[in-house]
């Protein structure tokens, strides 16, 4: 047995104990490293979750050689180190990599160069900058870029913050937000109260470990107790909730803090960090947002702009009808009038009721009456914005693009905001939109409250339609031609009652208009879906035919369906090239090589390039540095690193498809906790011409009686009721 004391970098975590303790393999930091297997008990490592691959720890303990026997009968000798002390040294500098590659101060340093610099020099970069050792950087960077890097590092407000965030294992996305919001004060704020990082959704267990072991915080420190209460409320966001019933909040806090839970809740309330409103408990920031939404909505709702102009509006509608070549229904005319005489209006209606036609008429009337020169047409999804543009002849943009690219000074005082597919708008996005409405501006929200709720938190449109505000609801189906049964089936599903079994489906005979149902057991569902896909003309080249599933994984899920279609149809050139830094590059998705012509989906938000999580595109070409993908008319070059954000898009989850429309849609019907009336309705209304349900009819009828999607905890209805009373 021998003693060891020094730095080790974790290579692989082998086991984390349920009540503490950790086993991991690690290497020393020499050029020819020695490998150890570290076995720490629960007293030395009480929080095993904080140990991450790549992190560096200072370790002291005793080493002995042990023979390890594997299941296949082989054996090997390992240096087993039993520590008497484990002390965190540093993480893997992810925040520094992000800073170098994305901050303007370091223009010319790509993601690839940042990776190489930090991997090679590590913390030594700080010393290189301090000593002006530009020559050491020249093998990797040109002189101008190297000079810019050194000057940038010297001039950066607080490099200690970056090092501290790396030590805490804070993801680079969170680190970026911390620095952007707190700036030079970040380091002192974190040192004084590291639990503040919970605001940014940092890992509370890791922060807690650092606060207790490195800064001396006690288990009953007020900062710690308040942080855990807020963590409970923040975690509720994952299910779309903006608040929790007080009884449930108490239960969850007690599970985390035990006997300290009552004290924690009292401290959090007394400090103003949480708000207890009757039977609802809410984190203060969300209370501010929801009450702010309600206040602005109330102010808008109480303003009537065009009172007494109903006759002029009616005349302009007549003119619109002449130009359009058809007449609006009476409820459509009333909807146009309602939207044109108020600063706030909500327009709802099911599929085929002509909401887009009403939007077009509203734009014509407001323009003809010279009520505004500026109308912003918006939708959450790029496909939805494109559809509005095609239908109205007016440019529509995504909400993200509006927020990122339109400055406040570019918005006229009487600008009109029209947001389509508003059921997808979460309360945070709605708040941002409302804050940008000018002094004489208008807001018109259109959507269908029967569709799926937002991916984000809250139920904005669903709360508004139940309030006494200017609104119009379209019920008459305009697209109900004999050749298409989609609107009629959609109407029945919207109002589906228990024990109903009268949904009528046409027999599937291939390409045709209407709604079909193919009975199929769960084991055959993937094979049948791919057969139907081919029968409808799907060949992997476009999204005219799309498969929608309630799930991503398992049988009948999106991953398996995408792999099946890829295997059958993908024939384009494999994306394979030699990169100067990465060498040979061959990108894979789910084990399949990326090919030219392949349909893909981006899984990150990139507001600068107007690409959102869920944008669907087609691989056009590749060169030695990037791959070009056409995202709904937006040709974008993706770097090697960004290729990891791609997934197949022959099949999508219903949630990802919301807001978009396709010619023909195949919908998987299988037992799933996600499958309910709202999901089926949303999937059905994604199709323009034909829908084919594949699965078990009984599962569908059972799902149609369930309504789980809208079961969210939110305090917005109460705030609205108070403000509008």
């Amino acid at each position: 047995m021998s003693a060891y004391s020094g730095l080790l970098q974790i290579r692989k975590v082998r086991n984390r104990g349920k009540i503490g303790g950790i086993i991991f393999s690690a290497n020393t930091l020499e050029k020819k490293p020695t490998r150890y297997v570290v076995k720490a008990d629960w007293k030395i490592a009480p929080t095993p979750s904080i140990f991450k691959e790549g992190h560096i720890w200072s370790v002291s303990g005793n080493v002995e050689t042990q023979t390890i026997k594997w299941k296949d009968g082989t054996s090997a000798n390992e240096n087993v180190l039993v520590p008497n002390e484990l002390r965190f040294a540093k993480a893997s500098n992810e925040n520094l990599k992000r800073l170098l590659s994305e901050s303007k101060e370091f223009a010319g340093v790509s993601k690839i160069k940042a990776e190489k610099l930090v991997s090679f020099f590590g913390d030594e970069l700080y010393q290189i900058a301090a000593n002006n050792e530009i020559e050491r950087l020249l093998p990797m960077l040109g002189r101008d870029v190297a000079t810019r890097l050194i000057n940038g590092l010297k001039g950066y407000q607080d490099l200690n913050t970056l090092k501290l965030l790396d030590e805490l294992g804070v993801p680079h996305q969170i680190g970026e937000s911390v620095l952007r919001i707190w700036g030079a004060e970040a380091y002192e704020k974190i040192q004084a109260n590291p639990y503040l990082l919970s605001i940014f959704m940092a890992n509370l267990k890791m922060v807690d470990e650092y606060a207790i072991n490195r800064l001396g915080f006690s288990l009953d420190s007020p900062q710690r107790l308040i942080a855990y209460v807020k963590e409970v409320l923040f975690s509720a966001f994952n299910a779309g909730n903006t608040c929790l019933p007080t009884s449930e909040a108490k239960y969850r806090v007690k599970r985390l803090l035990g006997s300290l839970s009552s004290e924690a809740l009292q401290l959090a309330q007394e400090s103003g960090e949480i708000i207890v409103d009757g039977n609802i408990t809410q984190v203060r920031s969300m209370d501010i947002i929801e009450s702010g939404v309600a206040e602005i909505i109330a102010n808008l709702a109480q303003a009537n702009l065009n009172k007494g102009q109903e006759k002029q509006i009616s005349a302009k509608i007549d003119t619109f009808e002449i130009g359009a070549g058809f007449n609006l229904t009476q409820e459509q005319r009333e909807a146009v009038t309602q939207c044109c005489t108020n600063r706030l209006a909500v327009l709802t209606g099911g599929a085929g009721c002509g909401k887009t036609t009403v939007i077009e008429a509203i734009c014509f009337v407001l323009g003809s009456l010279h009520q505004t020169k500026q109308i912003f047409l918006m939708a959450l999804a790029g496909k939805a914005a494109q559809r509005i543009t095609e239908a109205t002849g007016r440019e529509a943009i995504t909400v993200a693009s509006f927020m990122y690219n339109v400055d406040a000074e570019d918005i006229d005082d009487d600008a009109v905001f029209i947001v389509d597919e508003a059921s997808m708008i979460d309360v945070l996005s709605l708040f941002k939109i409302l804050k940008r409405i000018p002094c004489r501006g208008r807001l018109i929200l259109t959507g269908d409250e029967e569709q799926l709720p937002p991916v984000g938190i809250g139920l904005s449109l669903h709360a508004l339609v139940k309030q006494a505000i200017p609104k119009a609801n379209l019920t008459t189906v305009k697209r109900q031609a004999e050749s298409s049964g989609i609107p009629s089936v959609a109407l029945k599903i919207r109002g589906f009652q228990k024990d109903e079994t009268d949904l009528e489906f046409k027999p599937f005979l291939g390409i045709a208009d209407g709604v079909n149902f193919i009975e199929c057991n769960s084991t055959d569902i993937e094979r049948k879906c791919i057969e139907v896909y081919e029968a409808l003309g799907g060949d992997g080249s476009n999204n005219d035919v799309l498969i929608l599933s309630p799930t991503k994984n398992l049988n009948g899920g999106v991953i398996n369906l995408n792999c099946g279609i890829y295997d059958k149809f993908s024939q384009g050139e494999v994306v394979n090239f030699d990169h100067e830094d990465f060498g040979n590059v061959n990108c894979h998705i789910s084990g399949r090589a990326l090919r030219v012509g392949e349909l893909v989906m981006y899984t990150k938000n990139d507001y600068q390039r107007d690409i959102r999580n869920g944008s669907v595109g087609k691989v056009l070409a590749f060169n030695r540095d990037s791959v070009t993908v056409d995202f709904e008319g937006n040709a974008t070059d993706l770097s090697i690193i960004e290729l990891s954000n791609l997934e197949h898009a022959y099949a999508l989850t219903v949630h990802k498809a919301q807001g978009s429309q396709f010619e023909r849609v195949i919908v998987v019907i299988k037992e799933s906790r996600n499958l309910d009336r709202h999901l089926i309705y949303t999937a059905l209304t994604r199709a323009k011409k034909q829908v084919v349900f594949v699965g078990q009819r009984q599962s569908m009828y059972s799902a149609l009686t369930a309504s789980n999607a809208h079961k969210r905890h939110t305090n917005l209805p109460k705030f609205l009721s108070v403000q509008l009373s």
Side-chain angles (χ1 to χ4, degrees):
M1 185 177 293
S2 61
Y4 176 86
S5 181
L7 297 176
L8 295 176
Q9 185 171 30
I10 297 178
R11 180 176 175 269
K12 183 177 179 64
V13 175
R14 294 187 179 181
N15 188 34
R16 291 185 173 91
K18 291 183 179 180
I19 60 171
I22 185 81
I23 302 174
F24 60 83
S25 61
N27 293 337
T28 59
L29 302 185
E30 296 95 359
K31 289 184 178 179
K32 293 184 178 180
T34 301
R35 182 172 298 174
Y36 292 92
V37 176
V38 179
K39 294 184 176 181
D41 63 22
W42 64 273
K43 295 179 181 178
I44 301 295
T47 313
S49 61
I50 69 173
F51 292 83
K52 306 290 184 181
E53 294 174 4
H55 286 189
I56 298 174
W57 288 76
S58 176
V59 186
S60 298
N62 296 315
V63 181
E64 66 174 328
T65 302
Q66 295 182 1
T67 301
I68 307 298
K69 294 183 178 180
W70 307 107
K71 292 182 178 179
D72 61 1
T74 60
S75 62
N77 292 329
E78 292 188 329
N79 297 316
V80 178
L81 197 166
V82 180
N84 51 46
E85 184 183 18
L86 277 173
R87 185 168 54 84
F88 188 79
K90 64 174 184 168
S92 52
N93 287 310
E94 289 299 318
N95 285 291
L96 180 57
K97 295 175 188 176
R98 183 72 173 248
L99 173 71
L100 296 179
S101 64
E102 297 190 2
S103 294
K104 294 179 180 179
E105 293 92 336
F106 308 104
V109 181
S110 65
K111 290 183 179 180
I112 298 167
K113 294 295 185 185
E115 182 79 32
K116 293 180 69 174
L117 283 164
V118 176
S119 298
F120 188 81
F121 292 109
D123 280 352
E124 206 177 353
L125 276 173
Y126 303 122
Q127 196 63 40
I128 290 172
N131 297 335
N132 286 316
E133 297 176 287
I134 191 171
E135 300 298 326
R136 296 186 62 184
L137 302 177
L138 295 184
M140 294 187 188
L141 301 174
R143 184 172 293 275
D144 289 344
V145 176
T147 302
R148 200 154 44 242
L149 184 144
I150 286 178
N151 291 336
L153 283 176
K154 283 182 171 181
Y156 203 77
Q157 290 180 318
D158 200 340
L159 297 176
N160 288 326
T161 304
L162 286 174
K163 297 176 72 174
L164 176 59
L165 292 171
D166 279 323
E167 287 181 6
L168 289 170
V170 174
H172 54 75
Q173 301 93 335
I174 296 176
E176 182 181 327
S177 298
V178 171
L179 291 169
R180 185 176 65 252
I181 294 173
W182 286 344
E185 299 178 356
Y187 187 83
E188 291 184 0
K189 281 181 175 288
I190 296 171
Q191 288 287 71
N193 182 8
Y195 295 103
L196 289 173
L197 289 171
S198 64
I199 301 171
F200 302 92
M201 305 302 174
N203 187 307
L204 184 56
K205 287 186 177 180
M206 184 168 286
V207 172
D208 196 24
E209 178 77 10
Y210 176 85
I212 293 172
N213 294 341
R214 299 279 295 275
L215 299 178
F217 282 79
S218 62
L219 292 176
D220 62 350
S221 67
Q223 299 95 325
R224 180 177 187 268
L225 296 181
I226 292 171
Y228 270 96
V229 173
K230 292 167 67 176
E231 174 73 6
V232 163
L233 296 172
F234 286 144
S235 65
F237 293 175
N238 297 328
N241 304 305
T242 65
C243 58
L244 285 175
T246 299
S247 58
E248 185 174 344
K250 288 180 178 179
Y251 172 76
R252 294 191 186 188
V253 173
K254 190 171 184 177
R255 287 185 64 185
L256 292 176
L257 296 175
S259 60
L260 294 171
S261 62
S262 296
E263 182 183 353
L265 285 161
Q266 184 177 348
L267 282 169
Q269 189 173 355
E270 289 176 351
S271 65
E273 294 292 341
I274 68 169
I275 307 296
V276 180
D277 182 8
N279 296 321
I280 292 296
T281 298
Q282 190 167 38
V283 71
R284 180 179 60 181
S285 58
M286 193 50 59
D287 176 270
I288 292 171
I289 289 171
E290 288 199 318
S291 62
V293 167
E295 183 178 358
I296 299 173
I297 288 291
N299 290 334
L300 291 172
Q302 294 164 5
N304 190 308
L305 296 182
N306 291 341
K307 191 174 181 179
Q309 293 194 8
E310 286 80 2
K311 289 185 178 180
Q312 294 95 318
I313 292 172
S314 180
K316 294 300 180 183
I317 295 174
D318 293 340
T319 305
F320 171 80
E321 291 176 334
I322 293 171
F326 57 84
N327 293 330
L328 303 184
T329 65
Q330 184 59 35
E331 64 179 9
Q332 286 179 316
R333 292 181 68 97
E334 291 172 358
V336 174
T337 303
Q338 184 78 281
C339 294
C340 290
T341 53
N342 293 282
R343 286 193 66 193
L344 170 74
V346 176
L347 172 65
T348 60
C353 291
K355 293 190 296 293
T356 304
T357 300
V358 171
I359 292 174
E360 188 179 1
I362 292 168
C363 294
F364 177 84
V365 171
L366 290 177
S368 300
L369 292 174
H370 306 291
Q371 296 295 314
T372 183
K373 294 181 180 178
Q374 192 176 48
I375 298 177
F376 292 100
L377 287 174
M378 291 177 267
L380 198 65
K383 200 90 172 180
Q386 185 179 356
R387 177 167 51 83
I388 299 170
T389 299
E390 294 170 354
T392 65
R394 297 173 177 268
E395 183 183 3
I397 58 177
T398 63
V399 172
S401 179
F402 171 77
M403 291 297 177
Y404 192 89
N405 296 313
V406 180
D407 296 327
E409 55 266 26
D410 297 327
I411 301 174
D412 296 343
D413 285 347
D414 59 358
V416 178
F417 295 5
I418 301 179
V419 183
D420 194 30
E421 298 284 359
S423 63
M424 299 173 61
I425 303 294
D426 60 84
V427 70
L428 296 177
S429 299
L430 179 59
F431 186 60
K432 291 177 182 178
I433 294 170
L434 290 170
K435 293 287 286 184
R436 304 195 74 181
I437 296 175
C439 58
R440 295 188 293 115
R442 307 169 191 245
L443 174 65
I444 300 170
L445 300 171
T446 77
D448 186 353
E449 72 273 21
E450 285 297 315
Q451 292 191 22
L452 289 172
V455 174
I457 58 177
L459 286 170
S460 302
L461 183 72
H462 310 78
L464 289 172
V465 296
K466 297 177 181 178
Q467 303 298 321
I469 60 175
K471 54 181 178 283
N473 182 38
L474 303 179
T475 60
T476 303
V477 174
K478 291 286 290 180
R479 279 192 290 143
Q480 194 167 350
E482 289 296 326
S483 61
S484 176
I486 294 176
S488 61
V489 174
L491 191 63
K492 290 180 180 179
I493 287 176
R494 277 175 64 93
F496 194 84
Q497 300 295 319
K498 190 176 181 180
D499 300 327
E500 284 189 44
T501 58
D502 62 341
L503 292 178
E504 296 181 3
F505 303 107
K506 297 179 180 179
F508 179 71
L509 301 174
I511 297 175
D513 290 349
V515 184
N516 316 120
F517 198 109
I518 298 177
E519 192 79 21
C520 175
N521 61 51
S522 59
T523 56
D524 290 334
I525 203 164
E526 291 174 7
R527 177 184 61 80
K528 180 58 67 175
C529 282
I530 295 173
E531 287 180 3
V532 175
Y533 176 85
E534 187 172 18
L536 294 180
D539 59 4
S541 64
N542 56 58
N543 282 124
D544 288 346
V545 184
L546 189 78
I547 303 177
L548 298 180
S549 175
T551 62
K552 187 173 182 178
N553 299 301
L554 304 176
N555 183 54
V558 164
I559 293 176
N560 286 354
L561 289 165
N562 274 320
C563 290
I565 294 175
Y566 176 98
D567 293 342
K568 188 174 183 63
F569 295 103
S570 188
Q571 298 179 348
E573 182 182 3
V574 173
V575 176
N576 190 346
F577 51 88
D578 290 318
H579 192 275
E580 59 179 353
D581 293 305
F582 284 97
N584 183 262
V585 175
N586 189 345
C587 178
H588 289 77
I589 302 174
S590 300
R592 274 79 174 164
L594 184 66
R595 296 176 178 269
V596 174
E598 189 167 349
L599 301 181
V600 293
M601 178 181 67
Y602 205 66
T603 59
K604 297 284 185 181
N605 288 315
D606 188 336
Y607 300 128
Q608 187 172 3
R609 295 188 291 183
D610 198 20
I611 308 172
R612 63 182 284 272
N613 185 355
S615 292
V616 173
K618 185 174 184 176
V619 179
L620 298 182
F622 64 92
N623 54 41
R624 58 180 302 189
D625 296 309
S626 62
V627 176
T628 304
V629 180
D630 180 10
F631 292 107
E632 301 164 357
N634 178 14
T636 305
D637 292 331
L638 300 179
S639 69
I640 307 304
I641 295 173
E642 290 170 326
L643 294 179
S644 62
N645 300 326
L646 293 179
E647 294 181 358
H648 292 124
Y650 309 105
L652 301 176
T653 62
V654 180
H655 284 85
K656 289 293 187 183
Q658 193 172 1
S660 301
Q661 278 199 315
F662 312 90
E663 292 294 305
R664 306 180 193 280
V665 167
I666 302 159
V667 182
V668 174
I669 300 296
K670 67 167 194 170
E671 294 290 340
S672 168
R673 61 182 179 87
N674 298 328
L675 192 67
D676 69 355
R677 175 166 55 84
H678 304 289
L679 187 140
I680 293 173
Y681 176 77
T682 302
L684 173 68
T685 54
R686 296 313 89 203
K688 296 179 182 178
K689 296 181 178 179
Q690 185 175 10
V691 176
V692 183
F693 291 107
V694 178
Q696 294 179 308
R697 196 177 297 248
Q698 186 53 51
S699 296
M700 181 170 185
Y701 281 115
S702 297
L704 290 176
T705 62
S707 181
N708 305 317
H710 295 170
K711 293 181 179 179
R712 294 184 174 187
H713 300 299
T714 170
N715 214 22
L716 182 58
K718 182 176 179 178
F719 285 128
L720 286 168
S721 297
V722 171
Q723 289 286 345
L724 293 167
S725 60

